[in-house]
Every structure is written in C-alpha cells, then in structure tokens.
Amino acid sequence: MNAAAVESLTSQQARKELKYLVSEIARHNELYHGQDAPEISDGDFDAMKRRKHAIETHFPFLATAAVATDKVGAAPRREFAKINHARPMLSLDNCFTGEDVGDFVDRIRKFLNLSDDVELDFTAEPKIDGLSMSLRYENGRLVSGATRGDGEIGEDVTANIRTIADIPATLPRHLNIPAVLEVRGEVYMSKAEFYRINAELEAAGKEQKANPRNTAAGSLRQLDPSVTAKRKLNFFAYAWGEVSEMPADTQEGMIEFFRACGFKVNPYTRRVSANDLLTLYERVGEDRASLEYDIDGVVYKVNRIDLQERLGFKSTTPRWATAHKYPAERATTVLESIDIQVGRTGALSPVARVTPVNVGGVMVSNITLHNEDYIAGFDAKGVPIRGGKDLRIGDTITIYRAGDVIPQVGDVILEKRPATAEKYRFPTKCPVCDSEAIRGVDKDGKQLSVRRCTGDLVCSNQALETLTHVVAKDCLDIDGLGEKQITYFFNDVDLPVRNVADIFTLPDRDAALGSILKTRPGYKETSVAKLFAAIEARKVIALDRAIFAMGIRQVGSSTSKAIAKHFETWAAVKSAFERIAEGDPEAIADLTQINDLGDAVADAVRSFFSQAGNRAIIEQFTRLVTIKDAVKASSNSPVSGLTIVFTGSFERMSRDEAKAMGERLGAKVAGSVSKKTHIVIAGKDAGGKLAQAKDLGIRTLDEAQWFELIGG
C-alpha cells in the first residue's frame, strides 16, 4: 500500500489508504483471534495500526470510520456457547520505544495532576503470547471459563480449561475468597510441549503447527475436552474481572493473592518505579530467548488500584496500562536455494534453504515461502510486501521470528544482490510426477494463491490421501479397508494399492500370487474372505459415490449427488467431464449451473480430466465396477421442494436409507434444524433436534406418519 509520508498524502489518498487499513486490520484481527491462523507477524500488524493511527491523527475528520479496528479479539465461534463478560476484556495500548514509555508515564502524571517529585509505582510483567482467559469462581468454586471473544462476549470453554493443571477447581477457604471472583490471565503452551507435538506430527507425516500460541488456542477450542487434555497447556494469572470484594488495594497485592490461591504468576513480575521500567524491559529482553514460553513484550500497570480507578479507560483501552513491545528478533543470512515440496493435497510449497543462522536462540536453516506470489513480492490480496522486492537465489535477506517458532523473511538487501541473480521461475510441472501444476480459482472465479499438481491419481505424494478418502464411510465404505489398512497396502511391495482401481483388482492379484495375504500379520483366512467379500459388494455402486470416489478437488459428497441427479448416467457424466477438459463452453456452463456449483468446480474437473494418467485410472475403475444410474427425483411428491430433517432411529429404514428416500422424493434433506426446516421426522431416542423443532413450531412426524404422508 502507499508508503509515502502521511503529511504528503492528499485527503483522497488518505481516505483510500485508511479504508484499506481498516479492512486489513479487521481481517488480520479475525485471523489471529478468531481462527488462530495469522498471515502476518505481530510486528507487521502493529505497523499497520501505527500507520492507521498516524493517518487518523493527521486527518481527524476521517478517524470515526475506523473505530472498530481499535478492538482486539473476534466474535465467538458458533460451535461454542457464549458467556457475557461481567466486565469487558479490553486490549492494551502499545509502546515501541523508550520515548513512548516516557510519554505513557507523562500522560498519567498529567491526568492525575501529579508533579514529577511524587513517587509513582508500577508493576511490570512479561506479555505472554497466548490466549486470554477469564475464570469465574463463585464461593470458591470454578463455574466457568471464557475466552476474550470480542471483548464483550466470549466462548464457553469451561470443560476444556478444567483439564489444565495450573487452574484450580476450588480455592483455599482460609483465604477469605470473595463470593464472586473472576481471575484473568493467559493460557499458553510451553516451547517444549510445542516441539513434542510437532515431532509427533512429523513422524506421522502430517503438517506441523506454526507456533505455540496458535497451537494453544486450537487445543483450547476443541469440542472434545479429551483432546485438550492430551496437550499440556499452562496458565498465568495477572488480572481480574468482576470481584465482589477486593482482597488487596494494589496490583502487586492482587498478584500475591492469586499466588496464594494456587495460581501460577509470572516470576518476572516486579513492582518498579517509573525510572526503572526500561531497565526491567531490557533485563527480560536479555532472557527472552531462554524462556520456556513465548513473550512479545512487557506490560506496565499503575500499581495502586485507586489510581487505576481514577485513570479509568479510553474507548477500548485502560489509561493505566500499556504493553511495551519487543522488536522482531532478526538476523541476516543468504538464500542458497528454493526447494519445492508437494503435499498430500497436491500443493506445491516453496521452502528456502538458507545459510544456517541463530535467530533468538534457534538455529534456522529452512524458511517457508508460502507460495509463488510471496516469492514475487506480493501478499494474498496482490498488495506489495517487502516493498515489492522479489526473492532470488543468492539474495542476502533478513529473517525474523517475532515470537513465532517458524521464521519469516523480513526484507531483501538489494545492495548485496549478485549481478547474476535471476528472477525465480516457479515450476508449472509437479516435481514428483511431472503433471501440470496449475493455480485454480475459488467459487467467485478469483485465482488461488496455491499452485497444485493436477496428477491427483498418479502423483505418489497425493495417492495415499486420495485412497484414504475413497475408502471412507461416505464414499466407497468398504468394510475392513480403513485408513490403517489402506496405508498398509499402499506401501506393500507384492499387493500394492496405489489407486482406486487397484482396490478392485486386489482379490485377483492375491489369488495369482498363491493367496499370500492370509499369511500376513493381522490377516487370516476368515478376515481375508470378509475383506474380499466387502470389495465384491462395492462393485455395484451408486453414480454419486462413483463420482465422489474419483477424488476430484472441489467435488465433495453433496456436489457429487447434485451432478449425479443432473446427468443421471455415468456415460453422460463422462462425456460432460471430457468436454469440459477440452474447454467446451456449453459443457462448462451446464455444469456450473447445477445448484450454482460455480467456476471452481468446473476448473477442478477440467484440470483433473485434462491429465491422461487420471483418465486412464478412472477408465480402469469404471470397467471394474457397475455404476447404477441415478434415480430421478419425483417432482410430484408431497415433500418435493421441502427441507426435511431425520432424527433418532427407525424400524423400517436406516438413516442413510431415509435420507436417500427423501432426496428421491424431491426433498432437501438437512442435517440440522433451522427456521427453514419444513418437517422433522423423529424416530426413537430423538433428542435435541426434536425439541428444537417443537420450540420453533416446525411440523413433526413419527415414522408411521412419514410413510403415511408419502404413501409408503
């Protein structure tokens, strides 16, 4: 975006840039707090906010348009219940220099009308890079735990925080615990635990986590508390919300009270004078790399609570506290090469190999480069990064960690760029299988940032993931052939299963080798017979499942059903897909108009069927099985066009059969109840969905009434 001095901007330029900054700050705020998936460093985010503030200061008539970006946090996720904070969980102003800290102290003195000779004490504590948490105790017992959310309403994660050893379930009675006590602090993950989790993921061939903060947030936001319990999380207490009777009159006193209650408090927390703030900041900074947890600054708070109350709050931040941020940990190194790794989803991921260098106590030799736009000097929105400088082999670059375990490229030192350095050409062929690698489009027709291999079925790096999808319950659902077994056969030398067609030739290949499978560990004659019978049973397959089994990106279960209903036969589907691969505009238009599937689906079909290897495997697969024609949905049934929900268990039909029956009759079968639901059919043990339907006044039927309605 525009990097010109704020003073040189016209009001029109300022308005345009401020609009962009407001949008980007809100987006990155949601990515960080709401999705635990930041795209930029804390330093870059802070720089955006400083730029925004500078424009607002110089053009005050524009400032009102950007108030929302001053908030920290994101709306609570829908899958969690909500908790209203008795007192808002606000963010802090930031300081970046010693001069900023001096201004912070001066503003407090001026507000309180204190002269320079009046002593003013503060507490200083490390700013933990974790997830803010509010714990509510009533009569000494923990009753709820809530995330920050949007500051006013948080996510109810009570069951999950009960698994954290640092959080006591009850507080000591002898301490005169207030009837209502909200303890606030930070949930975090130690570096050791983060490394342990990543080691397990690496051993399993899975994608590793980016940093401890995001991993801690993701672990805490699990719908299953047992998952949270498996990942060791920690908690530091440092603040409070609603308190019926204050146990102390200073910040320092409250910290000691928390310690006595059994909470962990940060050992670096100190009461210091205004003159000693920077000394403690520097001391903590010296120890930062050796700490067992990530921090990104030091928080200063006025020690006396009565002064805190007098100082009060600005719109979204307290006047009596600020966060003094550390600059990103940086180092200089040389980009020696760029390797392309192909993931299980076909994504081509560039990785920089750099001359090993120590960054904040960690030796760095590899750096993710995200995608080809990032190498070229642009972000996901097409906005220049690093001042628009591209990355070239031989470049001298700065890298930073900024609290993240995975380092990022900061800048390119153009003065040191070799004269022979050439622009990097991102491969358009998969380095594993030599298939075309393309950048698809999203549902709105916008080009995606990731380039993917189109050799879905012939690329060895993707084949195992595709096969795992194929044997899943909602696809072929072959009894006795799950993820564990398919991995075994994928790596087997004698009976390899590398694509969907190999599944159906497995019995014949085993017979040709003298029935060797029954001699393998975990298999006996009976289990082999059951497996082969299950494979034989799936040789007759519904059209939608056959389409789904191809593993075409963007073509999921519901899309496969929509395509099957539209074309009705495999011959028609095959003809349409082949025409799409040839670029036939009529075939493309026909596909995209099915339930508004859009360009992304057509683009995925085109790239898949453009590859001869994919077509050859699908041709073999469809010769080995019998694909049933789709049953045309009735347009004259009593439920045609209605949205229905099945819940509970039935005597005359399985849930899958019930769903298929409803769709065959022209109804839309949904998995959840909403105001758009027309009928709920309830079997035995129908629980929450039936109750929800009654609350909403939705028509409900039992199994007998359902068959009476449809004439069955």
Side-chain angles (χ1 to χ4, degrees):
M1 201 64 188
N2 199 330
V6 171
E7 295 78 8
S8 68
L9 297 177
T10 65
S11 59
Q12 185 176 3
Q13 290 172 326
R15 187 186 304 277
K16 182 179 179 181
E17 184 174 356
L18 188 59
K19 181 180 179 181
Y20 166 79
L21 289 170
V22 168
S23 172
E24 283 297 281
I25 290 171
R27 185 172 74 87
H28 289 299
N29 197 31
E30 166 62 22
L31 285 170
Y32 184 88
H33 291 282
Q35 301 180 29
D36 310 318
E39 290 181 352
I40 61 175
S41 70
D42 288 352
D44 289 342
F45 182 74
D46 289 336
M48 287 178 119
K49 294 191 74 172
R50 291 199 299 274
R51 176 76 174 182
K52 168 186 157 290
H53 178 70
I55 293 174
E56 291 172 337
T57 301
H58 197 73
F59 299 90
F61 57 90
L62 298 177
T64 55
V67 172
T69 58
D70 294 330
K71 292 185 177 181
V72 171
R77 294 181 178 178
R78 287 178 293 179
E79 55 263 40
F80 290 97
K82 299 174 177 59
I83 290 181
N84 289 285
H85 297 305
R87 290 179 57 181
M89 294 185 72
L90 302 178
S91 57
L92 295 175
D93 274 338
N94 293 324
C95 293
F96 297 95
T97 66
E99 183 179 353
D100 290 343
V101 176
D103 290 343
F104 164 68
V105 175
D106 288 344
R107 286 195 300 272
I108 290 173
R109 288 190 176 278
K110 183 177 180 181
F111 190 94
L112 297 174
N113 197 24
L114 299 178
S115 60
D116 291 344
D117 58 347
V118 175
E119 187 174 342
L120 185 61
D121 282 347
F122 294 82
T123 60
E125 64 197 39
K127 186 177 182 295
I128 310 299
D129 195 11
L131 187 74
S132 297
M133 182 60 51
S134 182
L135 309 172
R136 186 177 178 90
Y137 290 81
E138 294 179 1
N139 298 316
R141 291 186 176 277
L142 177 64
V143 296
S144 67
T147 64
R148 181 201 299 272
D150 62 5
E152 300 286 342
I153 302 173
E155 299 155 344
D156 184 349
V157 290
T158 308
N160 293 7
I161 57 98
R162 289 186 186 278
T163 69
I164 301 175
D166 291 351
I167 297 177
T170 59
L171 304 180
R173 292 183 179 180
H174 70 276
L175 289 179
N176 253 353
I177 303 297
V180 175
L181 173 66
E182 287 186 355
V183 179
R184 293 180 175 177
E186 204 82 1
V187 172
Y188 68 95
M189 178 176 284
S190 70
K191 294 176 182 176
E193 176 68 1
F194 173 74
Y195 293 138
R196 182 192 69 77
I197 290 172
N198 263 356
E200 288 183 354
L201 292 172
E202 184 178 19
K206 297 180 179 179
E207 184 179 357
Q208 297 181 55
K209 304 294 184 182
N211 55 57
R213 188 267 169 197
N214 295 352
T215 311
S219 300
L220 190 65
R221 284 172 165 145
Q222 294 291 325
L223 296 179
D224 182 357
S226 67
V227 178
T228 306
K230 292 176 183 176
R231 298 175 178 178
K232 186 182 178 187
L233 298 177
N234 300 97
F235 178 78
F236 278 132
Y238 55 67
W240 58 93
E242 181 182 10
V243 182
S244 56
E245 186 177 351
M246 290 293 290
D249 58 6
T250 64
Q251 185 79 28
E252 182 183 30
M254 288 298 293
I255 295 296
E256 288 306 311
F257 172 72
F258 292 151
R259 190 199 308 273
C261 285
F263 291 99
K264 286 187 177 179
V265 297
N266 195 280
Y268 280 86
T269 303
R270 296 285 187 277
R271 176 170 58 85
V272 293
S273 68
N275 294 329
D276 293 331
L277 292 175
L278 296 181
T279 301
L280 189 134
Y281 172 83
E282 291 168 0
R283 179 190 164 193
V284 174
E286 290 170 358
D287 295 345
R288 181 183 179 190
S290 63
L291 295 176
E292 62 180 21
Y293 44 81
D294 279 338
I295 67 171
D296 56 7
V298 173
V299 176
Y300 308 134
K301 301 173 183 175
V302 172
N303 189 37
R304 282 173 48 183
I305 294 175
D306 63 329
L307 295 184
Q308 291 183 10
E309 292 173 347
R310 283 177 58 190
L311 286 160
F313 300 85
K314 294 184 285 186
S315 60
T316 59
T317 59
R319 292 189 179 89
W320 43 268
T322 193
H324 189 180
K325 294 292 212 56
Y326 286 113
E329 297 175 279
R330 295 180 179 270
T332 301
T333 186
V334 174
L335 199 168
E336 297 181 346
S337 64
I338 297 176
D339 294 344
I340 301 296
Q341 298 178 344
V342 182
R344 289 190 174 188
T345 61
L348 273 61
S349 302
V351 177
R353 310 299 182 189
V354 301
T355 304
V357 62
N358 189 306
V359 186
V362 176
M363 290 302 297
V364 174
S365 57
N366 304 322
I367 306 172
T368 179
L369 298 181
H370 305 292
N371 53 59
E372 57 193 283
D373 288 341
Y374 183 87
I375 294 175
F378 299 93
D379 67 10
K381 297 275 189 177
V383 177
I385 55 176
R386 303 186 300 271
K389 302 172 191 172
D390 66 325
L391 296 172
R392 305 184 186 185
I393 295 171
D395 271 343
T396 298
I397 59 176
T398 60
I399 60 177
Y400 65 87
R401 289 184 61 236
D404 288 348
V405 171
I406 295 180
Q408 305 287 329
V409 175
D411 202 1
V412 179
I413 303 175
L414 291 180
E415 306 85 71
K416 295 187 177 183
R417 171 171 282 175
T420 56
E422 297 181 355
K423 280 186 174 291
Y424 180 75
R425 293 185 178 180
F426 204 91
T428 57
K429 296 266 189 160
C430 172
V432 174
C433 69
D434 204 39
S435 297
E436 293 292 331
I438 66 168
R439 294 176 66 170
V441 296
D442 62 18
K443 62 182 180 180
D444 298 318
K446 180 185 175 185
Q447 188 179 54
L448 300 172
S449 59
V450 176
R451 187 176 291 273
R452 295 184 187 274
C453 166
T454 58
D456 304 69
L457 302 183
V458 297
C459 182
S460 60
N461 281 35
Q462 299 178 70
L464 181 56
E465 171 128 336
T466 301
L467 281 168
T468 301
H469 147 77
V470 165
V471 299
K473 186 174 182 179
D474 59 352
C475 195
L476 292 186
D477 188 21
I478 299 176
D479 190 28
L481 198 58
E483 183 176 357
K484 179 181 177 181
Q485 292 81 11
I486 207 69
T487 302
Y488 171 81
F489 284 114
F490 184 84
N491 295 310
D492 193 86
V493 175
D494 299 315
L495 294 170
V497 174
R498 305 287 168 76
N499 59 60
V500 63
D502 287 345
I503 294 173
F504 295 96
T505 62
L506 182 62
D508 290 341
R509 287 187 286 129
D510 180 57
L513 293 173
S515 300
I516 62 173
L517 184 56
K518 64 185 179 183
T519 67
R520 300 287 181 81
Y523 284 100
K524 293 183 179 179
E525 191 166 339
T526 301
S527 57
V528 170
K530 286 183 177 179
L531 172 61
F532 290 170
I535 292 174
E536 184 67 26
R538 287 296 179 266
K539 283 190 175 181
V540 178
I541 183 173
L543 177 57
D544 63 287
R545 290 193 181 232
I547 297 169
F548 192 28
M550 295 177 197
I552 304 172
R553 191 170 303 282
Q554 301 288 345
V555 181
S557 177
S558 60
T559 299
S560 297
K561 288 177 181 177
I563 292 172
K565 285 181 182 179
H566 181 75
F567 290 107
E568 298 185 16
T569 68
W570 165 242
V573 172
K574 179 185 176 185
S575 174
F577 283 7
E578 289 176 345
R579 288 165 57 205
I580 289 169
E582 295 168 358
D584 185 328
E586 289 186 7
I588 294 171
D590 188 28
L591 180 71
T592 56
Q593 289 169 12
I594 302 172
N595 290 3
D596 297 322
L597 292 184
D599 293 335
V601 173
D603 189 65
V605 169
R606 185 203 61 76
S607 65
F608 184 94
F609 269 81
S610 294
Q611 300 302 310
N614 291 340
R615 292 199 307 274
I617 292 172
I618 295 304
E619 186 67 31
Q620 184 185 9
F621 163 56
T622 54
R623 283 202 307 266
L624 291 167
V625 299
T626 299
I627 302 176
K628 296 187 296 183
D629 293 348
V631 179
K632 200 166 187 179
S634 170
S635 59
N636 300 315
S637 80
V639 294
S640 178
L642 302 184
T643 298
I644 61 177
V645 172
F646 291 95
T647 182
S649 58
F650 303 95
E651 293 181 0
R652 293 178 56 184
M653 56 185 178
S654 68
R655 288 282 290 278
D656 286 343
E657 184 182 359
K659 184 176 180 181
M661 184 186 301
E663 291 174 342
R664 188 167 63 249
L665 292 168
K668 178 182 178 182
V669 182
S672 59
V673 177
S674 71
K675 292 181 179 179
K676 295 182 179 180
T677 304
H678 296 99
I679 305 174
V680 171
I681 300 91
K684 291 182 179 179
D685 302 320
K689 292 179 183 177
L690 179 58
Q692 189 178 359
K694 290 180 177 178
D695 289 343
L696 293 173
I698 294 169
R699 182 184 180 189
T700 61
L701 302 175
D702 60 22
E703 185 174 6
Q705 291 170 325
W706 161 251
F707 280 105
E708 183 180 347
L709 173 66
I710 63 174

